[in-house]
Amino acid sequence: MKEILIRKFERMGISKKVISAFKQVDREYFVLPEWKKAAYEDSALPIIAEQTISQPSTVVLMLNALEVKEGMKVLEIGAGSGYNAALLSKLAGKVYSIERIKKLAEFAKKNLKKAGIKNVKVIHADGKKGYAKEAPYDRIIVTAAAEKIPNVLLKQLKDEGVLLMPVGPAYGQELIRVRKKGKDYLYEKLGGYVFVPLR
Ligand code: SAH
């Protein structure tokens, strides 16, 4: 099953680095026991508190667009199951992942531990404020959607940094990539997605 997904990602043009990260992390550790058999289907699955672990092809497309390089400091908003943070941990140096729902922050921590991942710190907090304590970041990825990119997040980006976030109404959003160049922020649209809301 994992092999089928890998071939799909290759056809999609996902980078070798991102595919290698996908190979290194078992998604089974991040889904509920009753969904283990479906861990390598290309679909989002329910976790807890009405949230979902994102669809694998969406996860790798976002990681591909984030252009993470070795040693980078990355901030994720929306830890959820911790799966995306786990993949990020294989691409970056250190990952900070913020989760608003306490139970989910604990779920993510537990899953990351089971998967043997050590360079991710999960923080129970409101990600709309970013995480000033460790700012600025090379990369920021928001895995929940909102109508607007919070200004504080843009401020926590390093020069030459990249932020990725689905922006738009609840029924469907556009994935936006922002590149910070000195005082300027360059915006790109990367296609349509549906994410759970940033609250
Ligand atoms: N990245 C996750 C999936 C994201 S689901 C994974 O790999 O499994 C989106 C997550 O964003 C949910 O867990 C939701 O609780 C969280 N979220 C929503 N609003 C948030 C906020 N303001 N701050 C932090 N997390 C938030």
Side-chain angles (χ1 to χ4, degrees):
M1 275 309 264
K2 201 168 180 176
E3 281 306 312
I4 296 173
L5 275 185
I6 290 166
R7 281 197 291 278
K8 180 172 180 177
F9 298 161
E10 284 165 354
R11 284 196 302 274
M12 285 159 60
I14 302 299
S15 72
K16 285 204 170 68
K17 267 190 351 191
V18 171
I19 291 181
S20 159
F22 176 79
K23 285 180 182 167
Q24 290 173 63
V25 179
D26 282 327
R27 194 166 180 254
E28 285 124 36
Y29 288 123
F30 299 88
V31 300
L32 296 174
E34 57 269 40
W35 290 103
K36 277 218 160 42
K37 283 209 185 83
Y40 288 107
E41 281 171 22
D42 197 13
S43 48
L45 296 171
I47 41 178
I48 47 179
E50 283 157 39
Q51 303 301 316
T52 55
I53 175 171
S54 309
Q55 183 180 356
S57 54
T58 302
V59 172
V60 297
L61 272 169
M62 285 183 80
L63 291 176
N64 214 47
L66 195 61
E67 302 169 351
V68 185
K69 298 188 182 85
E70 227 172 284
M72 282 186 165
K73 195 201 278 189
V74 181
L75 175 68
E76 178 188 35
I77 313 298
S81 67
Y83 179 65
N84 187 53
L87 293 186
L88 278 169
S89 81
K90 304 294 181 190
L91 301 165
K94 179 83 192 183
V95 180
Y96 297 89
S97 186
I98 316 290
E99 175 54 54
R100 176 186 67 99
I101 300 171
K102 188 151 193 253
K103 267 180 144 177
L104 270 172
E106 280 157 14
F107 182 64
K109 277 184 201 168
K110 191 186 75 190
N111 297 342
L112 287 159
K113 198 171 175 194
K114 275 194 287 183
I117 287 159
K118 299 197 172 79
N119 55 335
V120 176
K121 186 177 162 109
V122 178
I123 300 121
H124 172 229
D126 178 6
K128 285 198 298 296
K129 301 191 181 98
Y131 189 53
K133 203 173 156 202
E134 294 292 339
Y137 302 94
D138 297 292
R139 300 289 184 264
I140 300 180
I141 178 167
V142 186
T143 63
E147 297 274 0
K148 188 182 170 298
I149 301 174
N151 252 321
V152 267
L153 293 186
L154 293 170
K155 291 217 176 87
Q156 290 182 9
L157 209 51
K158 280 187 197 172
D159 191 23
E160 300 292 326
V162 175
L163 175 147
L164 203 64
M165 175 171 174
V167 180
Y171 56 81
Q173 307 94 31
E174 182 91 37
L175 185 61
I176 304 291
R177 178 164 62 193
V178 186
R179 238 178 254 281
K180 182 172 173 159
K181 296 256 183 218
K183 289 192 282 36
D184 295 328
Y185 292 93
L186 310 176
Y187 288 72
E188 286 169 89
K189 288 183 178 176
L190 304 179
Y193 292 88
V194 183
F195 280 82
V196 299
L198 184 73
R199 296 196 186 275

